Amino acid sequence: MSEDAPMDIDYVANLARIELSDEEKTTYQRQLGDVLKYFEKLQELEVDGVEPTAHAFPRHNVWDQDESKQGFSASEALKNAPQSRQDQVVVPKVIEE
Amino acid sequence: MSQDSPIFKTATELSADLTAGKISSVELTQAMIERVEKVDEKVHAFLHLDQEDALAQAKASDERRSKGECLSPLDGIPVGLKDVISVKDQPLTAASKILENYRSPYDATVTVKLKQAGAVIAGRLNLDEFAMGSSTENSAYGPTRNPWDLERVPGGSSGGSSAAVAAREVPLSLGSDTGGSIRQPASLCGVVGMKPTYGMVSRYGLAAFASSLDQIGPFSTTVEDAALLLETISGHDPLDSTSFPKEIPSYSGELKKPAQPGVIGLPKEFFGPGMDDEVRARVEQTIEHYRSLGYQTKEVSLPSTDLSIPVYYVIATAEASSNLARYDGIRYTSRSNRAQNAIDVYAKSRGEGFGSEVKRRCLLGAYGLSSGYYDAYYLRAQKARTLIRQDFERVFKEVDAVLTPTAPTPAFKFGEKSEDPISMYLSDIFTISTNLAGLPGISVPCGFTRSGLPVGMQLIGQAFEESSLLNIAHAYDRDHLHGRQAPNL
């Protein structure tokens, strides 16, 4: 699989929202190619009719009591924000002028 | 330092000394701080130690005790935490640059439980960044060194937690285990480390790596101490929807009851080639000891074992790529000052803030979940996970526990595997399937190599049968107490 379709490192880096240097791209392209080759074992496996396991001991319909609880104040919630003003996180403009 | 010093005692012994008034928590905590000052320059297990805060907790413990209000056997005993477990107002870096300036706004549930028990929460311990790694070389703040040989790794990812206990800087610590991150470093540092059944210990306040696999668990020098710490942190938590509503017995109390020797399974797939000869010899001696105690041993088969590494790395990286999306430079991580627009904030902050293994795993996870590859990787891995789980279900119809080596080799040297991800991933080959199946596993020291490096054996138990697993582990440990041997530092 990895041979016919090598990982498109720019595409994946964009999906993961991680900026990579050219040097990193070359290294990861090679290393992840090796890892994917190692994963080929999985492609040979017979899994028809096998149910997938997402959790070892799944629990369903876990509800909490519907009651109000004390949360963080704005100043507590913003303590770790890299930039904040007037009780809000500051971010670059997302709407074009 | 004299072997009578409190730092060489187990938590159980310290608890008795505190009760008898032979030592105060302030004296004990002071001795611990002095030990850290003496040896941590070499070991580098600690990322942060707030001495004033630790001594204030110790003083409060002594005051409680003098009024007859002792909270638990752990009251006044220092416990170190892996730097992924939240303690209100303390730093939590996950050994990453991206969380360099972060302070936890709340306590993890295990932290609340430790505080309710009166334990002295002492210090933040090093790890592989975001718990991704098997050597603690991936810490953005420099590696931890193995106290038995400073040229070698302590294992990982909870290498700071294992090394701190091995170096006698703290009697107890907590780590987290996603694919072996408690058991493998315990083995490499010659201490006890246990991963409980998935759902036994709340993950609330643990910086997530792979949510369907992560569990918090104890490090100690004896199985008896592991039982004591485990019973303190276990139990259902409404704040973690995957935590299981189970009654928690007194594990340490259960150890005092005589246990009937049972049947131990030896999976043939775990004793094949690729294992270090001295590891094999120590583990075989351990098996002999169990036989001499009246345990039956039985060869069993876990045929899907060779799938465990690919299955694990597909599932764990997929979950990690989702979990780590929260470190986006917006709300609580450092932000790149090169960012011009919103996408830049994400990509540049993450590019600057994450180390290479974290980037590698986020990329791999994003790939495995991406359109066109989801069925071939993620879904297929989840199906293979079912096969791994079913292997254990079959085996546990015949045996009470499964015994394996914890790691294929003793501690390896720095740099030996760091450039080759697959060879590093293979150091978790014996521990990973336990996480995929959700089962409890414990690593117990079972001797040393000729060159003096510790070797560990792993016992895997049935789901939610921690008591039985601890009893079997204790049967060996109380006769040997290899974990009580301290390295020369």
Side-chain angles (χ1 to χ4, degrees), chain B residues 142-200:
Chain B
T144 296
R145 298 182 175 274
N146 192 312
W148 290 95
D149 179 348
L150 299 171
E151 302 297 306
R152 291 174 189 269
V153 304
S157 66
S158 312
S161 301
S162 64
V165 171
R168 301 305 189 266
E169 295 174 275
V170 275
L172 298 170
S173 67
L174 290 182
S176 63
D177 189 316
T178 307
S181 278
I182 289 175
R183 290 158 290 155
Q184 185 259 17
S187 171
L188 269 49
C189 287
V191 296
V192 175
M194 182 169 185
K195 180 201 92 74
T197 308
Y198 184 82
M200 284 295 282

Coordinates of all heavy atoms in Angstrom, one line a residue, chain B residues 142-200:
Chain B
G142 N 14.9 17.7 28.4 CA 16.1 16.9 28.6 C 15.7 15.5 29.2 O 14.7 15.4 29.9
P143 N 16.5 14.5 28.9 CA 16.1 13.1 29.3 C 16.3 12.9 30.8 O 17.1 13.6 31.4 CB 17.0 12.3 28.5 CG 18.2 13.1 28.2 CD 17.7 14.5 28.1
T144 N 15.6 11.9 31.3 CA 15.9 11.3 32.6 C 16.9 10.2 32.4 O 16.9 9.6 31.4 CB 14.6 10.8 33.2 OG1 13.7 11.9 33.4 CG2 14.8 10.1 34.6
R145 N 17.8 10.0 33.4 CA 18.8 9.0 33.3 C 18.4 7.8 34.3 O 17.8 8.0 35.3 CB 20.2 9.5 33.7 CG 20.6 10.6 32.7 CD 21.9 11.2 33.0 NE 22.2 12.1 31.9 CZ 22.7 11.8 30.7 NH1 23.0 10.5 30.5 NH2 22.9 12.7 29.7
N146 N 18.8 6.6 33.8 CA 18.5 5.4 34.7 C 19.4 5.4 35.9 O 20.6 5.4 35.8 CB 18.7 4.2 33.8 CG 18.2 2.9 34.5 OD1 18.4 2.7 35.7 ND2 17.4 2.2 33.7
P147 N 18.8 5.4 37.1 CA 19.6 5.5 38.3 C 20.6 4.3 38.5 O 21.6 4.4 39.2 CB 18.6 5.4 39.4 CG 17.3 5.8 38.8 CD 17.4 5.4 37.4
W148 N 20.4 3.2 37.8 CA 21.3 2.0 37.8 C 22.5 2.2 36.9 O 23.5 1.5 37.1 CB 20.5 0.7 37.5 CG 19.6 0.4 38.6 CD1 18.2 0.7 38.6 CD2 19.8 -0.3 39.8 NE1 17.7 0.2 39.8 CE2 18.6 -0.4 40.6 CE3 21.0 -0.8 40.4 CZ2 18.6 -1.0 41.8 CZ3 20.9 -1.4 41.6 CH2 19.7 -1.5 42.3
D149 N 22.3 3.0 35.9 CA 23.4 3.3 34.9 C 23.1 4.5 34.2 O 22.2 4.6 33.3 CB 23.6 2.1 33.9 CG 24.7 2.3 32.9 OD1 25.2 3.5 32.8 OD2 25.0 1.4 32.2
L150 N 23.8 5.6 34.6 CA 23.4 6.9 34.1 C 23.6 7.1 32.6 O 23.2 8.1 32.0 CB 24.2 8.0 34.9 CG 23.9 8.0 36.4 CD1 24.8 9.0 37.1 CD2 22.4 8.4 36.7
E151 N 24.3 6.1 31.9 CA 24.5 6.2 30.5 C 23.3 5.6 29.8 O 23.2 5.5 28.5 CB 25.7 5.4 30.1 CG 27.0 5.8 30.7 CD 27.3 7.2 30.3 OE1 27.4 7.5 29.1 OE2 27.5 8.1 31.2
R152 N 22.3 5.0 30.5 CA 21.2 4.3 29.9 C 19.8 5.0 30.2 O 19.7 5.8 31.2 CB 21.1 2.9 30.4 CG 22.3 2.1 29.9 CD 22.3 0.7 30.4 NE 23.6 0.1 30.0 CZ 23.7 -0.7 28.9 NH1 22.7 -0.9 28.1 NH2 24.9 -1.2 28.6
V153 N 18.9 4.7 29.4 CA 17.5 5.3 29.5 C 16.8 4.6 30.7 O 17.1 3.5 31.0 CB 16.7 5.2 28.2 CG1 17.4 5.8 27.0 CG2 16.3 3.7 27.9
P154 N 15.8 5.4 31.3 CA 15.0 4.8 32.4 C 13.8 4.1 31.8 O 13.0 3.6 32.6 CB 14.6 6.0 33.1 CG 14.5 7.1 32.1 CD 15.6 6.8 31.1
G155 N 13.6 4.1 30.5 CA 12.4 3.6 29.9 C 11.4 4.7 29.8 O 11.7 5.9 30.2
G156 N 10.3 4.5 29.3 CA 9.3 5.5 29.1 C 7.9 5.0 28.7 O 7.8 3.8 28.5
S157 N 6.9 5.8 28.7 CA 7.1 7.3 28.8 C 7.2 7.8 30.3 O 7.8 8.9 30.5 CB 5.9 8.0 28.2 OG 4.8 7.7 28.9
S158 N 6.8 7.0 31.3 CA 6.8 7.5 32.7 C 8.2 7.3 33.3 O 8.4 6.9 34.4 CB 5.8 6.8 33.5 OG 4.5 6.7 32.9
G159 N 9.3 7.7 32.5 CA 10.7 7.5 33.0 C 11.0 8.3 34.3 O 11.8 7.8 35.1
G160 N 10.4 9.5 34.4 CA 10.7 10.3 35.6 C 10.1 9.6 36.8 O 10.7 9.6 37.9
S161 N 8.9 9.1 36.6 CA 8.1 8.4 37.8 C 8.9 7.2 38.2 O 9.0 6.9 39.4 CB 6.7 8.1 37.4 OG 6.0 9.2 37.0
S162 N 9.4 6.4 37.3 CA 10.1 5.2 37.7 C 11.5 5.5 38.3 O 11.9 4.9 39.3 CB 10.3 4.2 36.5 OG 11.1 4.7 35.5
A163 N 12.2 6.4 37.6 CA 13.5 6.8 38.1 C 13.5 7.4 39.5 O 14.4 7.2 40.3 CB 14.2 7.7 37.1
A164 N 12.5 8.3 39.8 CA 12.4 9.0 41.0 C 12.2 7.9 42.2 O 12.8 8.1 43.3 CB 11.2 9.9 41.0
V165 N 11.4 6.9 41.9 CA 11.2 5.9 43.0 C 12.5 5.0 43.1 O 13.0 4.7 44.2 CB 10.0 5.0 42.7 CG1 9.9 3.8 43.6 CG2 8.7 5.8 42.8
A166 N 13.1 4.6 41.9 CA 14.3 3.8 42.0 C 15.5 4.6 42.7 O 16.2 4.0 43.4 CB 14.7 3.5 40.5
A167 N 15.5 5.9 42.4 CA 16.6 6.7 43.0 C 16.3 7.1 44.5 O 17.1 7.8 45.1 CB 16.9 8.0 42.2
R168 N 15.2 6.6 45.0 CA 14.7 6.9 46.4 C 14.5 8.4 46.6 O 14.9 8.9 47.7 CB 15.7 6.3 47.4 CG 15.9 4.8 47.3 CD 14.6 4.0 47.3 NE 14.7 2.6 47.4 CZ 14.7 1.7 46.4 NH1 14.5 2.2 45.2 NH2 14.8 0.5 46.6
E169 N 14.0 9.1 45.6 CA 13.7 10.5 45.7 C 12.3 10.6 46.3 O 12.0 11.6 47.0 CB 13.8 11.2 44.4 CG 15.2 11.3 43.9 CD 15.4 11.9 42.5 OE1 15.2 11.1 41.5 OE2 15.6 13.0 42.4
V170 N 11.4 9.7 46.0 CA 10.1 9.6 46.5 C 9.8 8.1 46.8 O 10.2 7.3 46.0 CB 8.9 10.2 45.6 CG1 8.8 11.7 45.8 CG2 9.2 9.8 44.2
P171 N 9.0 7.8 47.8 CA 8.6 6.3 48.0 C 7.6 5.9 47.0 O 7.5 4.7 46.7 CB 8.1 6.3 49.4 CG 7.7 7.7 49.8 CD 8.5 8.6 48.9
L172 N 6.8 6.8 46.5 CA 5.7 6.4 45.6 C 5.5 7.5 44.5 O 5.8 8.6 44.7 CB 4.3 6.4 46.4 CG 4.2 5.4 47.5 CD1 2.9 5.8 48.3 CD2 4.1 4.0 47.1
S173 N 5.1 7.0 43.4 CA 4.7 8.0 42.3 C 3.6 7.5 41.5 O 3.3 6.3 41.5 CB 5.9 8.3 41.5 OG 6.3 7.2 40.7
L174 N 3.0 8.4 40.7 CA 2.0 8.0 39.7 C 2.5 8.2 38.3 O 3.2 9.2 38.0 CB 0.7 8.8 39.9 CG -0.1 8.5 41.1 CD1 -1.4 9.4 41.1 CD2 -0.5 7.0 41.3
G175 N 2.2 7.3 37.4 CA 2.4 7.5 36.0 C 1.2 7.2 35.2 O 0.1 7.1 35.8
S176 N 1.3 7.2 33.9 CA 0.2 6.8 33.0 C 0.7 5.8 32.0 O 1.9 5.8 31.6 CB -0.4 8.0 32.3 OG 0.5 8.6 31.5
D177 N -0.2 4.9 31.6 CA 0.2 3.8 30.8 C -0.7 3.6 29.6 O -1.9 3.4 29.8 CB 0.2 2.5 31.6 CG 0.9 1.3 31.0 OD1 0.6 1.0 29.8 OD2 1.6 0.6 31.6
T178 N -0.2 3.8 28.4 CA -1.1 3.8 27.2 C -0.7 2.5 26.4 O -1.6 1.9 25.8 CB -0.9 5.0 26.3 OG1 -1.1 6.2 27.2 CG2 -1.9 5.1 25.2
G179 N 0.6 2.1 26.4 CA 1.0 0.9 25.7 C 2.1 0.2 26.5 O 2.8 -0.7 26.0
G180 N 2.3 0.6 27.7 CA 3.4 0.0 28.6 C 4.2 1.1 29.3 O 5.2 0.8 30.0
S181 N 3.7 2.3 29.3 CA 4.4 3.5 29.8 C 4.6 3.5 31.3 O 5.3 4.3 31.8 CB 3.7 4.8 29.4 OG 4.1 5.1 28.1
I182 N 3.9 2.6 32.0 CA 4.2 2.4 33.5 C 5.1 1.2 33.6 O 6.2 1.2 34.3 CB 3.0 2.3 34.3 CG1 2.2 3.6 34.4 CG2 3.3 1.8 35.7 CD1 0.9 3.5 35.1
R183 N 4.7 0.1 33.0 CA 5.4 -1.2 33.2 C 6.8 -1.3 32.7 O 7.7 -1.8 33.3 CB 4.5 -2.3 32.7 CG 3.2 -2.5 33.5 CD 2.1 -3.2 32.7 NE 1.6 -2.3 31.6 CZ 1.1 -2.7 30.5 NH1 1.0 -4.0 30.2 NH2 0.6 -1.8 29.6
Q184 N 7.0 -0.8 31.4 CA 8.3 -0.8 30.8 C 9.4 0.0 31.6 O 10.4 -0.5 31.9 CB 8.2 -0.4 29.3 CG 9.5 -0.6 28.5 CD 10.2 0.7 28.3 OE1 9.9 1.7 29.0 NE2 11.1 0.8 27.4
P185 N 9.1 1.2 32.0 CA 10.1 2.0 32.8 C 10.3 1.3 34.2 O 11.4 1.4 34.7 CB 9.5 3.4 32.9 CG 8.1 3.3 32.4 CD 8.0 2.1 31.5
A186 N 9.2 0.8 34.7 CA 9.3 0.1 36.0 C 10.4 -1.0 35.9 O 11.2 -1.2 36.7 CB 8.0 -0.4 36.5
S187 N 10.2 -1.8 34.8 CA 11.1 -2.9 34.6 C 12.6 -2.4 34.4 O 13.5 -3.0 35.0 CB 10.6 -3.6 33.3 OG 11.5 -4.6 32.9
L188 N 12.7 -1.4 33.6 CA 14.1 -0.9 33.3 C 14.7 -0.2 34.5 O 16.0 -0.1 34.6 CB 14.1 0.1 32.1 CG 14.3 -0.5 30.7 CD1 13.4 -1.7 30.4 CD2 14.1 0.5 29.6
C189 N 13.9 0.2 35.5 CA 14.5 0.9 36.7 C 14.4 0.0 37.9 O 14.8 0.4 39.0 CB 13.7 2.2 36.9 SG 14.1 3.5 35.8
G190 N 13.9 -1.2 37.8 CA 13.9 -2.1 38.9 C 12.9 -1.8 40.0 O 13.2 -2.0 41.2
V191 N 11.8 -1.3 39.7 CA 10.7 -1.0 40.6 C 9.4 -1.6 40.2 O 9.3 -2.2 39.1 CB 10.5 0.5 40.9 CG1 11.8 1.2 41.5 CG2 10.1 1.3 39.6
V192 N 8.4 -1.6 41.1 CA 7.1 -2.1 40.7 C 6.3 -1.0 40.0 O 6.3 0.1 40.4 CB 6.3 -2.6 42.0 CG1 4.9 -3.0 41.7 CG2 7.1 -3.7 42.7
G193 N 5.6 -1.4 38.9 CA 4.7 -0.5 38.2 C 3.5 -1.2 37.8 O 3.6 -2.3 37.2
M194 N 2.3 -0.6 38.0 CA 1.1 -1.3 37.6 C 0.1 -0.4 36.8 O -0.1 0.7 37.1 CB 0.4 -1.7 38.9 CG -0.9 -2.5 38.7 SD -1.5 -3.2 40.2 CE -2.9 -4.1 39.6
K195 N -0.4 -1.1 35.8 CA -1.5 -0.5 35.0 C -2.8 -1.2 35.4 O -2.9 -2.4 35.2 CB -1.3 -0.6 33.5 CG -2.4 0.0 32.7 CD -2.5 -0.6 31.3 CE -3.5 -1.7 31.1 NZ -4.9 -1.4 31.2
P196 N -3.7 -0.5 35.9 CA -5.0 -1.1 36.3 C -5.9 -1.4 35.1 O -5.6 -0.9 34.0 CB -5.7 0.0 37.2 CG -4.6 1.0 37.4 CD -3.7 1.0 36.3
T197 N -6.9 -2.1 35.3 CA -7.9 -2.4 34.3 C -8.4 -1.0 33.8 O -8.6 -0.1 34.6 CB -9.2 -3.1 34.9 OG1 -8.7 -4.3 35.6 CG2 -10.2 -3.5 33.8
Y198 N -8.7 -0.9 32.5 CA -9.2 0.3 31.9 C -10.6 0.6 32.6 O -11.5 -0.2 32.7 CB -9.5 0.2 30.4 CG -9.9 1.4 29.8 CD1 -9.0 2.4 29.4 CD2 -11.3 1.7 29.6 CE1 -9.4 3.6 28.9 CE2 -11.7 2.9 29.0 CZ -10.8 3.8 28.7 OH -11.2 5.0 28.2
G199 N -10.7 1.8 33.1 CA -11.9 2.2 33.8 C -11.8 2.2 35.3 O -12.8 2.6 36.0
M200 N -10.7 1.6 35.9 CA -10.6 1.5 37.4 C -10.2 2.9 38.0 O -10.6 3.2 39.1 CB -9.6 0.5 37.7 CG -10.0 -0.9 37.6 SD -11.4 -1.4 38.7 CE -10.5 -1.6 40.2

